[in-house]
Amino acid sequence: MSFSTSDIFAAAAGLAIALGASSAAQAQSAPLSAQESDPAVMGWMQGFPPPVDKLITQPDANYFSFPKLRWSVCHLREFLPTEEISRGLGAPVPLDYPSPAEFADLRARIDALAFTPIDGTDQMTWQDSLYANYTDGMLILHRGKVVYERYFGCLEEDGKHAIMSMTKSITGLLGEILVAEGTLDDRALVRDIIPDIGDSAFATATVRQVMDMTTGVQYSEDYSDPNADIWVYSRAASPLPKPEGYDGPDGYWEYLQQVKPDGNHGDAFHYKTINSDMLGWIISRVTGKSVTDLASERLWRRMGAEQDAYQTVDGKGVPFAGGGVTAGLRDLGRLGLLMLNEGVSNGQRLFPAAVVDKIRTGGDPSKFAGFPTIPNGSYTSQWWVFHNDHGAFAARGVHGQTIYVDPTAEMVLVRLSSYPRAQNGFIDPTSLPAYQAVAEFLMTRE
Amino acid sequence: MSFSTSDIFAAAAGLAIALGASSAAQAQSAPLSAQESDPAVMGWMQGFPPPVDKLITQPDANYFSFPKLRWSVCHLREFLPTEEISRGLGAPVPLDYPSPAEFADLRARIDALAFTPIDGTDQMTWQDSLYANYTDGMLILHRGKVVYERYFGCLEEDGKHAIMSMTKSITGLLGEILVAEGTLDDRALVRDIIPDIGDSAFATATVRQVMDMTTGVQYSEDYSDPNADIWVYSRAASPLPKPEGYDGPDGYWEYLQQVKPDGNHGDAFHYKTINSDMLGWIISRVTGKSVTDLASERLWRRMGAEQDAYQTVDGKGVPFAGGGVTAGLRDLGRLGLLMLNEGVSNGQRLFPAAVVDKIRTGGDPSKFAGFPTIPNGSYTSQWWVFHNDHGAFAARGVHGQTIYVDPTAEMVLVRLSSYPRAQNGFIDPTSLPAYQAVAEFLMTRE
């Protein structure tokens, strides 16, 4: 009895896609619409048991590809081992809402807002943009109150959704808190904190370069090349038993120990997930805590969260600091409020204001390129900074996840979605101008 | 690249042990004491990363054997895919406590209680029995108030612990609720509810026989026989990809479709886990809900639970109705109170009193044998009934798990533990008389 090569590649593919890859197998044109691909319409996993063609199982390489993706984004723990990010045992702190009449009125007015997509195509309404972007959950907070909240697809108010690379922003926030509090020196070299990083290209990078993803490290994502780093990383990360004869790295951290150099540290921003996992390791080494426990202690237990979150782990129990978190929509709204309010949540300061100030100030836009929908952007502490008129910054994850913070409009917007393609470059044209339009509406509403 | 036979057997072994097997590899004599085997003392999973000899990983066949068991009982989700049993979004309903002074006094008095073990050895104190039984959590409620609560080993008040076969009692309770409400006819044959059960020996059993485990179905647990049913079941249940060439059943329900007969339905009680999974399937078929969702809807969301629970799943997302639940100590106390109070929780009736009446009345003791520590017992609706002077009944799980309800003493006792050996027959001699002693103390205390 033995597992086939295709099995392990299938499992690895599932993880690679979870890492934020666009699958070669993924539909590239004319996919089903949001309404057509709604998991209830598709019938995924309905019935006891579901019909064979409606089953979504982990060994299936496509379990995280569209249209199965539309179900799987709400069910990641049913495929993979996970660790809890505990909210603790107390009562949640409910979010503030306007009166039901005002709330309904706001929804109608926001749904009708029109905006022009980035690519200059015809105007689109806010409501149409929700479907265009395969939205599963949309929450907007203005001056601390919920002004808009809707659920679609697999998500309900008491459900949870994979946040993909927004995980990086939680890791980055924890890192920045440690820097502000003096626990972590962002000028230190990785090898000074983790001597066992060995000859890895990360050894000579500073913590700041890791946080800002300006390291010079090799990490190829050519999906047609079976030896591409993304596949090696996926096989290392897989919590499944390693195949017989496997002699590659086992787990995120063993992978990081053998990363090769590519360019010079500090020269430019390169969006490479391995930096986030490197930061996760640094955080755990200096605090003696897993990133899940630290996120619980510093964020989830203290911001009045109403649900536990969770994070996928590798075969050694190391949380995926670059993409593994699943959480509830309103708890992500609480996290966004914490950023908008510069570290204050429900009247309590959770971390120094300098943390948010550092993040929203952003990095050096001259080192930032390759994201046409964010022409003047930068990436700092694992957060995206738009350097726009409103000083907006965001956590972003593939398939359309965002926590968008607009300090000028005093607005936090959280979108969870399951857009067929991974890259936000496809999703931004009908998203970023919509966010700007709703921000302007909120600033000027009577 | 391929997985070896030993890998898949290792994974299956982990699950078999989770099912309640005693491993052949398990220490049979002079194991480490509770204090020596404390996970913190052992150093399991400490460090970032932990030393190689302190790692506990899923492919390791012994991840659920003593002494690793003492860590793993609190971390099952880090090894296996799971589904949530949601508590919902509201505020928990705190348990009632006496004043701190009274609470401390009660603890001192209970710790000092002496009792004689079943086997007639020397007297033992209550506190000594906690260590003798590798207790991880002990909660005692009397007349609705917490009178004793302690945590050891891997468990803390905001942690969770595998409850093993106590899962069966949750499944059985859900089944009994459906019977009392008229949704499920316990006289119906399994094949009338699930025609696709096919030629399985379960087809001609009644729902009641499944609930009470009086079916005549083959299920061998001879661990030295690689073709024993327990191994076939474990391989079917494993959420790992099936090995190449595997042609056995895939998932709990495919296994149940091919069970062979062994004796006549109704003749006698045989403790076989497959009955619980059969009941889980029946429950899902008649309600259109997974047992996790139903446990959430009928129990966890309505009893003021303070933590979500979770349940392991097979490769098709089917929860392990015979043993997969992990939950918090105090929430299990809430479940015990619900049983003591005949379906009433925090002043609200959650299900008809007839449900608890049916369970605690018990089954036919003449059909019950093979459990020397429960000489006059019976098993009904997946609950153990002692038929003793106090009318006590219990949920029980291997390695020492129990929810013990004593209606005469108005006492609920929950113990979570990680005793080196699986069978409660080894644990009862220093447990059941201790429970009786504390019940008598509580009934007569000033």
Side-chain angles (χ1 to χ4, degrees), chain A residues 189-191 197 199-206 210 215-217 256-257 259 265 272 274-276 278:
Chain A
L189 299 183
V190 172
R191 69 180 175 203
I197 195 66
D199 295 331
S200 165
F202 276 116
T204 54
T206 65
V210 173
T215 52
V217 294
L256 297 174
Q257 288 174 310
V259 169
H265 297 315
K272 295 179 177 177
I274 52 176
N275 287 287
S276 313
M278 188 70 246

mmCIF file with all atom_site columns, all heavy atoms in Angstrom, chain A residues 189-191 197 199-206 210 215-217 256-257 259 265 272 274-276 278:
data_model
loop_
_atom_site.group_PDB
_atom_site.id
_atom_site.type_symbol
_atom_site.label_atom_id
_atom_site.label_alt_id
_atom_site.label_comp_id
_atom_site.label_asym_id
_atom_site.label_entity_id
_atom_site.label_seq_id
_atom_site.pdbx_PDB_ins_code
_atom_site.Cartn_x
_atom_site.Cartn_y
_atom_site.Cartn_z
_atom_site.occupancy
_atom_site.B_iso_or_equiv
_atom_site.pdbx_formal_charge
_atom_site.auth_seq_id
_atom_site.auth_comp_id
_atom_site.auth_asym_id
_atom_site.auth_atom_id
_atom_site.pdbx_PDB_model_num
ATOM 1   N N   . LEU A 1 189 ? 19.679 41.632 13.248 1.00 0.00 ? 189 LEU A N   1
ATOM 2   C CA  . LEU A 1 189 ? 19.687 40.647 12.163 1.00 0.00 ? 189 LEU A CA  1
ATOM 3   C C   . LEU A 1 189 ? 18.938 39.397 12.617 1.00 0.00 ? 189 LEU A C   1
ATOM 4   O O   . LEU A 1 189 ? 18.950 39.044 13.798 1.00 0.00 ? 189 LEU A O   1
ATOM 5   C CB  . LEU A 1 189 ? 21.117 40.276 11.788 1.00 0.00 ? 189 LEU A CB  1
ATOM 6   C CG  . LEU A 1 189 ? 22.013 41.413 11.276 1.00 0.00 ? 189 LEU A CG  1
ATOM 7   C CD1 . LEU A 1 189 ? 23.380 40.855 10.866 1.00 0.00 ? 189 LEU A CD1 1
ATOM 8   C CD2 . LEU A 1 189 ? 21.363 42.148 10.098 1.00 0.00 ? 189 LEU A CD2 1
ATOM 9   N N   . VAL A 1 190 ? 18.347 38.734 11.655 1.00 0.00 ? 190 VAL A N   1
ATOM 10  C CA  . VAL A 1 190 ? 17.606 37.508 11.974 1.00 0.00 ? 190 VAL A CA  1
ATOM 11  C C   . VAL A 1 190 ? 18.509 36.518 12.704 1.00 0.00 ? 190 VAL A C   1
ATOM 12  O O   . VAL A 1 190 ? 18.103 35.886 13.680 1.00 0.00 ? 190 VAL A O   1
ATOM 13  C CB  . VAL A 1 190 ? 17.018 36.883 10.691 1.00 0.00 ? 190 VAL A CB  1
ATOM 14  C CG1 . VAL A 1 190 ? 16.425 35.509 10.984 1.00 0.00 ? 190 VAL A CG1 1
ATOM 15  C CG2 . VAL A 1 190 ? 15.964 37.805 10.082 1.00 0.00 ? 190 VAL A CG2 1
ATOM 16  N N   . ARG A 1 191 ? 19.770 36.393 12.270 1.00 0.00 ? 191 ARG A N   1
ATOM 17  C CA  . ARG A 1 191 ? 20.637 35.378 12.881 1.00 0.00 ? 191 ARG A CA  1
ATOM 18  C C   . ARG A 1 191 ? 20.972 35.703 14.336 1.00 0.00 ? 191 ARG A C   1
ATOM 19  O O   . ARG A 1 191 ? 21.361 34.811 15.094 1.00 0.00 ? 191 ARG A O   1
ATOM 20  C CB  . ARG A 1 191 ? 21.924 35.217 12.055 1.00 0.00 ? 191 ARG A CB  1
ATOM 21  C CG  . ARG A 1 191 ? 22.864 36.397 12.111 1.00 0.00 ? 191 ARG A CG  1
ATOM 22  C CD  . ARG A 1 191 ? 24.106 36.150 11.266 1.00 0.00 ? 191 ARG A CD  1
ATOM 23  N NE  . ARG A 1 191 ? 24.941 37.336 11.225 1.00 0.00 ? 191 ARG A NE  1
ATOM 24  C CZ  . ARG A 1 191 ? 25.817 37.608 10.271 1.00 0.00 ? 191 ARG A CZ  1
ATOM 25  N NH1 . ARG A 1 191 ? 25.982 36.756 9.252  1.00 0.00 ? 191 ARG A NH1 1
ATOM 26  N NH2 . ARG A 1 191 ? 26.544 38.689 10.305 1.00 0.00 ? 191 ARG A NH2 1
ATOM 27  N N   . ILE A 1 197 ? 18.990 29.759 12.260 1.00 0.00 ? 197 ILE A N   1
ATOM 28  C CA  . ILE A 1 197 ? 18.577 30.038 10.886 1.00 0.00 ? 197 ILE A CA  1
ATOM 29  C C   . ILE A 1 197 ? 19.689 29.605 9.919  1.00 0.00 ? 197 ILE A C   1
ATOM 30  O O   . ILE A 1 197 ? 19.451 29.398 8.721  1.00 0.00 ? 197 ILE A O   1
ATOM 31  C CB  . ILE A 1 197 ? 18.226 31.541 10.696 1.00 0.00 ? 197 ILE A CB  1
ATOM 32  C CG1 . ILE A 1 197 ? 17.455 31.758 9.399  1.00 0.00 ? 197 ILE A CG1 1
ATOM 33  C CG2 . ILE A 1 197 ? 19.473 32.427 10.729 1.00 0.00 ? 197 ILE A CG2 1
ATOM 34  C CD1 . ILE A 1 197 ? 16.078 31.138 9.359  1.00 0.00 ? 197 ILE A CD1 1
ATOM 35  N N   . ASP A 1 199 ? 22.657 29.067 7.372  1.00 0.00 ? 199 ASP A N   1
ATOM 36  C CA  . ASP A 1 199 ? 23.149 29.755 6.183  1.00 0.00 ? 199 ASP A CA  1
ATOM 37  C C   . ASP A 1 199 ? 22.021 30.321 5.327  1.00 0.00 ? 199 ASP A C   1
ATOM 38  O O   . ASP A 1 199 ? 22.251 30.777 4.205  1.00 0.00 ? 199 ASP A O   1
ATOM 39  C CB  . ASP A 1 199 ? 23.953 28.779 5.313  1.00 0.00 ? 199 ASP A CB  1
ATOM 40  C CG  . ASP A 1 199 ? 25.212 28.326 6.024  1.00 0.00 ? 199 ASP A CG  1
ATOM 41  O OD1 . ASP A 1 199 ? 25.733 29.097 6.846  1.00 0.00 ? 199 ASP A OD1 1
ATOM 42  O OD2 . ASP A 1 199 ? 25.665 27.191 5.745  1.00 0.00 ? 199 ASP A OD2 1
ATOM 43  N N   . SER A 1 200 ? 20.823 30.278 5.816  1.00 0.00 ? 200 SER A N   1
ATOM 44  C CA  . SER A 1 200 ? 19.685 30.806 5.054  1.00 0.00 ? 200 SER A CA  1
ATOM 45  C C   . SER A 1 200 ? 19.938 32.252 4.650  1.00 0.00 ? 200 SER A C   1
ATOM 46  O O   . SER A 1 200 ? 20.592 33.019 5.365  1.00 0.00 ? 200 SER A O   1
ATOM 47  C CB  . SER A 1 200 ? 18.429 30.753 5.926  1.00 0.00 ? 200 SER A CB  1
ATOM 48  O OG  . SER A 1 200 ? 17.396 31.539 5.377  1.00 0.00 ? 200 SER A OG  1
ATOM 49  N N   . ALA A 1 201 ? 19.413 32.637 3.494  1.00 0.00 ? 201 ALA A N   1
ATOM 50  C CA  . ALA A 1 201 ? 19.522 34.025 3.062  1.00 0.00 ? 201 ALA A CA  1
ATOM 51  C C   . ALA A 1 201 ? 18.886 34.981 4.059  1.00 0.00 ? 201 ALA A C   1
ATOM 52  O O   . ALA A 1 201 ? 19.228 36.163 4.104  1.00 0.00 ? 201 ALA A O   1
ATOM 53  C CB  . ALA A 1 201 ? 18.869 34.196 1.684  1.00 0.00 ? 201 ALA A CB  1
ATOM 54  N N   . PHE A 1 202 ? 17.961 34.482 4.865  1.00 0.00 ? 202 PHE A N   1
ATOM 55  C CA  . PHE A 1 202 ? 17.327 35.337 5.879  1.00 0.00 ? 202 PHE A CA  1
ATOM 56  C C   . PHE A 1 202 ? 18.309 35.744 6.981  1.00 0.00 ? 202 PHE A C   1
ATOM 57  O O   . PHE A 1 202 ? 18.086 36.739 7.670  1.00 0.00 ? 202 PHE A O   1
ATOM 58  C CB  . PHE A 1 202 ? 16.144 34.607 6.524  1.00 0.00 ? 202 PHE A CB  1
ATOM 59  C CG  . PHE A 1 202 ? 14.851 34.714 5.753  1.00 0.00 ? 202 PHE A CG  1
ATOM 60  C CD1 . PHE A 1 202 ? 14.253 33.582 5.199  1.00 0.00 ? 202 PHE A CD1 1
ATOM 61  C CD2 . PHE A 1 202 ? 14.227 35.942 5.578  1.00 0.00 ? 202 PHE A CD2 1
ATOM 62  C CE1 . PHE A 1 202 ? 13.060 33.683 4.498  1.00 0.00 ? 202 PHE A CE1 1
ATOM 63  C CE2 . PHE A 1 202 ? 13.021 36.051 4.871  1.00 0.00 ? 202 PHE A CE2 1
ATOM 64  C CZ  . PHE A 1 202 ? 12.442 34.918 4.328  1.00 0.00 ? 202 PHE A CZ  1
ATOM 65  N N   . ALA A 1 203 ? 19.386 34.980 7.156  1.00 0.00 ? 203 ALA A N   1
ATOM 66  C CA  . ALA A 1 203 ? 20.269 35.181 8.309  1.00 0.00 ? 203 ALA A CA  1
ATOM 67  C C   . ALA A 1 203 ? 20.737 36.627 8.432  1.00 0.00 ? 203 ALA A C   1
ATOM 68  O O   . ALA A 1 203 ? 20.764 37.193 9.525  1.00 0.00 ? 203 ALA A O   1
ATOM 69  C CB  . ALA A 1 203 ? 21.471 34.234 8.215  1.00 0.00 ? 203 ALA A CB  1
ATOM 70  N N   . THR A 1 204 ? 21.053 37.229 7.292  1.00 0.00 ? 204 THR A N   1
ATOM 71  C CA  . THR A 1 204 ? 21.662 38.563 7.305  1.00 0.00 ? 204 THR A CA  1
ATOM 72  C C   . THR A 1 204 ? 20.660 39.691 7.054  1.00 0.00 ? 204 THR A C   1
ATOM 73  O O   . THR A 1 204 ? 21.051 40.846 6.917  1.00 0.00 ? 204 THR A O   1
ATOM 74  C CB  . THR A 1 204 ? 22.775 38.631 6.245  1.00 0.00 ? 204 THR A CB  1
ATOM 75  O OG1 . THR A 1 204 ? 22.204 38.226 4.978  1.00 0.00 ? 204 THR A OG1 1
ATOM 76  C CG2 . THR A 1 204 ? 23.928 37.695 6.593  1.00 0.00 ? 204 THR A CG2 1
ATOM 77  N N   . ALA A 1 205 ? 19.395 39.357 6.968  1.00 0.00 ? 205 ALA A N   1
ATOM 78  C CA  . ALA A 1 205 ? 18.368 40.396 6.829  1.00 0.00 ? 205 ALA A CA  1
ATOM 79  C C   . ALA A 1 205 ? 18.051 40.973 8.201  1.00 0.00 ? 205 ALA A C   1
ATOM 80  O O   . ALA A 1 205 ? 18.189 40.296 9.222  1.00 0.00 ? 205 ALA A O   1
ATOM 81  C CB  . ALA A 1 205 ? 17.089 39.808 6.222  1.00 0.00 ? 205 ALA A CB  1
ATOM 82  N N   . THR A 1 206 ? 17.619 42.243 8.237  1.00 0.00 ? 206 THR A N   1
ATOM 83  C CA  . THR A 1 206 ? 17.142 42.797 9.498  1.00 0.00 ? 206 THR A CA  1
ATOM 84  C C   . THR A 1 206 ? 15.689 42.401 9.704  1.00 0.00 ? 206 THR A C   1
ATOM 85  O O   . THR A 1 206 ? 14.969 42.066 8.760  1.00 0.00 ? 206 THR A O   1
ATOM 86  C CB  . THR A 1 206 ? 17.222 44.345 9.517  1.00 0.00 ? 206 THR A CB  1
ATOM 87  O OG1 . THR A 1 206 ? 16.317 44.870 8.534  1.00 0.00 ? 206 THR A OG1 1
ATOM 88  C CG2 . THR A 1 206 ? 18.641 44.834 9.218  1.00 0.00 ? 206 THR A CG2 1
ATOM 89  N N   . VAL A 1 210 ? 12.463 42.000 7.008  1.00 0.00 ? 210 VAL A N   1
ATOM 90  C CA  . VAL A 1 210 ? 11.498 40.888 6.996  1.00 0.00 ? 210 VAL A CA  1
ATOM 91  C C   . VAL A 1 210 ? 10.081 41.443 7.137  1.00 0.00 ? 210 VAL A C   1
ATOM 92  O O   . VAL A 1 210 ? 9.173  41.057 6.396  1.00 0.00 ? 210 VAL A O   1
ATOM 93  C CB  . VAL A 1 210 ? 11.814 39.887 8.127  1.00 0.00 ? 210 VAL A CB  1
ATOM 94  C CG1 . VAL A 1 210 ? 10.726 38.831 8.239  1.00 0.00 ? 210 VAL A CG1 1
ATOM 95  C CG2 . VAL A 1 210 ? 13.188 39.246 7.908  1.00 0.00 ? 210 VAL A CG2 1
ATOM 96  N N   . THR A 1 215 ? 13.460 41.877 1.870  1.00 0.00 ? 215 THR A N   1
ATOM 97  C CA  . THR A 1 215 ? 14.584 40.937 1.888  1.00 0.00 ? 215 THR A CA  1
ATOM 98  C C   . THR A 1 215 ? 14.932 40.490 0.469  1.00 0.00 ? 215 THR A C   1
ATOM 99  O O   . THR A 1 215 ? 14.081 40.520 -0.421 1.00 0.00 ? 215 THR A O   1
ATOM 100 C CB  . THR A 1 215 ? 14.217 39.680 2.705  1.00 0.00 ? 215 THR A CB  1
ATOM 101 O OG1 . THR A 1 215 ? 12.979 39.174 2.202  1.00 0.00 ? 215 THR A OG1 1
ATOM 102 C CG2 . THR A 1 215 ? 14.075 40.002 4.183  1.00 0.00 ? 215 THR A CG2 1
ATOM 103 N N   . GLY A 1 216 ? 16.175 40.068 0.299  1.00 0.00 ? 216 GLY A N   1
ATOM 104 C CA  . GLY A 1 216 ? 16.603 39.499 -0.977 1.00 0.00 ? 216 GLY A CA  1
ATOM 105 C C   . GLY A 1 216 ? 16.651 37.986 -0.856 1.00 0.00 ? 216 GLY A C   1
ATOM 106 O O   . GLY A 1 216 ? 17.711 37.405 -0.627 1.00 0.00 ? 216 GLY A O   1
ATOM 107 N N   . VAL A 1 217 ? 15.488 37.369 -0.974 1.00 0.00 ? 217 VAL A N   1
ATOM 108 C CA  . VAL A 1 217 ? 15.395 35.918 -0.790 1.00 0.00 ? 217 VAL A CA  1
ATOM 109 C C   . VAL A 1 217 ? 14.715 35.282 -2.000 1.00 0.00 ? 217 VAL A C   1
ATOM 110 O O   . VAL A 1 217 ? 13.801 35.849 -2.587 1.00 0.00 ? 217 VAL A O   1
ATOM 111 C CB  . VAL A 1 217 ? 14.609 35.556 0.504  1.00 0.00 ? 217 VAL A CB  1
ATOM 112 C CG1 . VAL A 1 217 ? 15.376 36.013 1.735  1.00 0.00 ? 217 VAL A CG1 1
ATOM 113 C CG2 . VAL A 1 217 ? 13.204 36.146 0.486  1.00 0.00 ? 217 VAL A CG2 1
ATOM 114 N N   . LEU A 1 256 ? 12.524 27.639 5.979  1.00 0.00 ? 256 LEU A N   1
ATOM 115 C CA  . LEU A 1 256 ? 13.166 28.957 6.090  1.00 0.00 ? 256 LEU A CA  1
ATOM 116 C C   . LEU A 1 256 ? 14.667 28.843 6.314  1.00 0.00 ? 256 LEU A C   1
ATOM 117 O O   . LEU A 1 256 ? 15.425 29.749 5.956  1.00 0.00 ? 256 LEU A O   1
ATOM 118 C CB  . LEU A 1 256 ? 12.521 29.750 7.240  1.00 0.00 ? 256 LEU A CB  1
ATOM 119 C CG  . LEU A 1 256 ? 11.033 30.069 7.039  1.00 0.00 ? 256 LEU A CG  1
ATOM 120 C CD1 . LEU A 1 256 ? 10.457 30.724 8.299  1.00 0.00 ? 256 LEU A CD1 1
ATOM 121 C CD2 . LEU A 1 256 ? 10.806 30.959 5.819  1.00 0.00 ? 256 LEU A CD2 1
ATOM 122 N N   . GLN A 1 257 ? 15.099 27.718 6.885  1.00 0.00 ? 257 GLN A N   1
ATOM 123 C CA  . GLN A 1 257 ? 16.531 27.521 7.158  1.00 0.00 ? 257 GLN A CA  1
ATOM 124 C C   . GLN A 1 257 ? 17.344 27.288 5.885  1.00 0.00 ? 257 GLN A C   1
ATOM 125 O O   . GLN A 1 257 ? 18.578 27.315 5.947  1.00 0.00 ? 257 GLN A O   1
ATOM 126 C CB  . GLN A 1 257 ? 16.724 26.333 8.119  1.00 0.00 ? 257 GLN A CB  1
ATOM 127 C CG  . GLN A 1 257 ? 16.289 26.641 9.540  1.00 0.00 ? 257 GLN A CG  1
ATOM 128 C CD  . GLN A 1 257 ? 16.351 25.421 10.439 1.00 0.00 ? 257 GLN A CD  1
ATOM 129 O OE1 . GLN A 1 257 ? 15.830 24.352 10.097 1.00 0.00 ? 257 GLN A OE1 1
ATOM 130 N NE2 . GLN A 1 257 ? 16.982 25.569 11.598 1.00 0.00 ? 257 GLN A NE2 1
ATOM 131 N N   . VAL A 1 259 ? 16.592 28.806 2.686  1.00 0.00 ? 259 VAL A N   1
ATOM 132 C CA  . VAL A 1 259 ? 16.253 29.761 1.624  1.00 0.00 ? 259 VAL A CA  1
ATOM 133 C C   . VAL A 1 259 ? 17.526 30.359 1.028  1.00 0.00 ? 259 VAL A C   1
ATOM 134 O O   . VAL A 1 259 ? 18.456 30.723 1.749  1.00 0.00 ? 259 VAL A O   1
ATOM 135 C CB  . VAL A 1 259 ? 15.330 30.873 2.179  1.00 0.00 ? 259 VAL A CB  1
ATOM 136 C CG1 . VAL A 1 259 ? 15.182 32.014 1.179  1.00 0.00 ? 259 VAL A CG1 1
ATOM 137 C CG2 . VAL A 1 259 ? 13.974 30.288 2.550  1.00 0.00 ? 259 VAL A CG2 1
ATOM 138 N N   . HIS A 1 265 ? 19.334 42.471 0.338  1.00 0.00 ? 265 HIS A N   1
ATOM 139 C CA  . HIS A 1 265 ? 18.358 42.897 1.343  1.00 0.00 ? 265 HIS A CA  1
ATOM 140 C C   . HIS A 1 265 ? 18.214 44.417 1.285  1.00 0.00 ? 265 HIS A C   1
ATOM 141 O O   . HIS A 1 265 ? 19.195 45.142 1.167  1.00 0.00 ? 265 HIS A O   1
ATOM 142 C CB  . HIS A 1 265 ? 18.835 42.526 2.747  1.00 0.00 ? 265 HIS A CB  1
ATOM 143 C CG  . HIS A 1 265 ? 18.963 41.043 2.965  1.00 0.00 ? 265 HIS A CG  1
ATOM 144 N ND1 . HIS A 1 265 ? 18.007 40.145 2.559  1.00 0.00 ? 265 HIS A ND1 1
ATOM 145 C CD2 . HIS A 1 265 ? 19.933 40.315 3.582  1.00 0.00 ? 265 HIS A CD2 1
ATOM 146 C CE1 . HIS A 1 265 ? 18.384 38.908 2.911  1.00 0.00 ? 265 HIS A CE1 1
ATOM 147 N NE2 . HIS A 1 265 ? 19.554 38.996 3.525  1.00 0.00 ? 265 HIS A NE2 1
ATOM 148 N N   . LYS A 1 272 ? 6.593  38.213 -0.889 1.00 0.00 ? 272 LYS A N   1
ATOM 149 C CA  . LYS A 1 272 ? 6.912  36.793 -0.724 1.00 0.00 ? 272 LYS A CA  1
ATOM 150 C C   . LYS A 1 272 ? 6.474  36.334 0.662  1.00 0.00 ? 272 LYS A C   1
ATOM 151 O O   . LYS A 1 272 ? 6.980  36.808 1.683  1.00 0.00 ? 272 LYS A O   1
ATOM 152 C CB  . LYS A 1 272 ? 8.416  36.569 -0.926 1.00 0.00 ? 272 LYS A CB  1
ATOM 153 C CG  . LYS A 1 272 ? 8.844  36.882 -2.359 1.00 0.00 ? 272 LYS A CG  1
ATOM 154 C CD  . LYS A 1 272 ? 10.333 36.697 -2.604 1.00 0.00 ? 272 LYS A CD  1
ATOM 155 C CE  . LYS A 1 272 ? 10.626 36.964 -4.102 1.00 0.00 ? 272 LYS A CE  1
ATOM 156 N NZ  . LYS A 1 272 ? 12.069 36.881 -4.416 1.00 0.00 ? 272 LYS A NZ  1
ATOM 157 N N   . ILE A 1 274 ? 7.056  33.894 2.465  1.00 0.00 ? 274 ILE A N   1
ATOM 158 C CA  . ILE A 1 274 ? 8.017  33.337 3.424  1.00 0.00 ? 274 ILE A CA  1
ATOM 159 C C   . ILE A 1 274 ? 8.519  34.385 4.423  1.00 0.00 ? 274 ILE A C   1
ATOM 160 O O   . ILE A 1 274 ? 8.913  34.038 5.533  1.00 0.00 ? 274 ILE A O   1
ATOM 161 C CB  . ILE A 1 274 ? 9.203  32.645 2.718  1.00 0.00 ? 274 ILE A CB  1
ATOM 162 C CG1 . ILE A 1 274 ? 9.866  33.556 1.681  1.00 0.00 ? 274 ILE A CG1 1
ATOM 163 C CG2 . ILE A 1 274 ? 8.717  31.347 2.066  1.00 0.00 ? 274 ILE A CG2 1
ATOM 164 C CD1 . ILE A 1 274 ? 11.112 32.933 1.028  1.00 0.00 ? 274 ILE A CD1 1
ATOM 165 N N   . ASN A 1 275 ? 8.475  35.681 4.042  1.00 0.00 ? 275 ASN A N   1
ATOM 166 C CA  . ASN A 1 275 ? 8.835  36.718 5.011  1.00 0.00 ? 275 ASN A CA  1
ATOM 167 C C   . ASN A 1 275 ? 7.892  36.699 6.215  1.00 0.00 ? 275 ASN A C   1
ATOM 168 O O   . ASN A 1 275 ? 8.322  36.906 7.357  1.00 0.00 ? 275 ASN A O   1
ATOM 169 C CB  . ASN A 1 275 ? 8.763  38.105 4.347  1.00 0.00 ? 275 ASN A CB  1
ATOM 170 C CG  . ASN A 1 275 ? 9.902  38.362 3.388  1.00 0.00 ? 275 ASN A CG  1
ATOM 171 O OD1 . ASN A 1 275 ? 11.030 38.570 3.794  1.00 0.00 ? 275 ASN A OD1 1
ATOM 172 N ND2 . ASN A 1 275 ? 9.605  38.313 2.091  1.00 0.00 ? 275 ASN A ND2 1
ATOM 173 N N   . SER A 1 276 ? 6.619  36.471 5.952  1.00 0.00 ? 276 SER A N   1
ATOM 174 C CA  . SER A 1 276 ? 5.631  36.483 7.040  1.00 0.00 ? 276 SER A CA  1
ATOM 175 C C   . SER A 1 276 ? 5.872  35.326 7.992  1.00 0.00 ? 276 SER A C   1
ATOM 176 O O   . SER A 1 276 ? 5.730  35.467 9.217  1.00 0.00 ? 276 SER A O   1
ATOM 177 C CB  . SER A 1 276 ? 4.219  36.403 6.462  1.00 0.00 ? 276 SER A CB  1
ATOM 178 O OG  . SER A 1 276 ? 4.075  37.320 5.399  1.00 0.00 ? 276 SER A OG  1
ATOM 179 N N   . MET A 1 278 ? 8.769  33.912 8.389  1.00 0.00 ? 278 MET A N   1
ATOM 180 C CA  . MET A 1 278 ? 10.018 34.255 9.081  1.00 0.00 ? 278 MET A CA  1
ATOM 181 C C   . MET A 1 278 ? 9.699  35.176 10.265 1.00 0.00 ? 278 MET A C   1
ATOM 182 O O   . MET A 1 278 ? 10.228 34.981 11.370 1.00 0.00 ? 278 MET A O   1
ATOM 183 C CB  . MET A 1 278 ? 10.973 34.952 8.099  1.00 0.00 ? 278 MET A CB  1
ATOM 184 C CG  . MET A 1 278 ? 12.370 35.173 8.659  1.00 0.00 ? 278 MET A CG  1
ATOM 185 S SD  . MET A 1 278 ? 13.317 33.635 8.863  1.00 0.00 ? 278 MET A SD  1
ATOM 186 C CE  . MET A 1 278 ? 13.465 33.582 10.651 1.00 0.00 ? 278 MET A CE  1
#
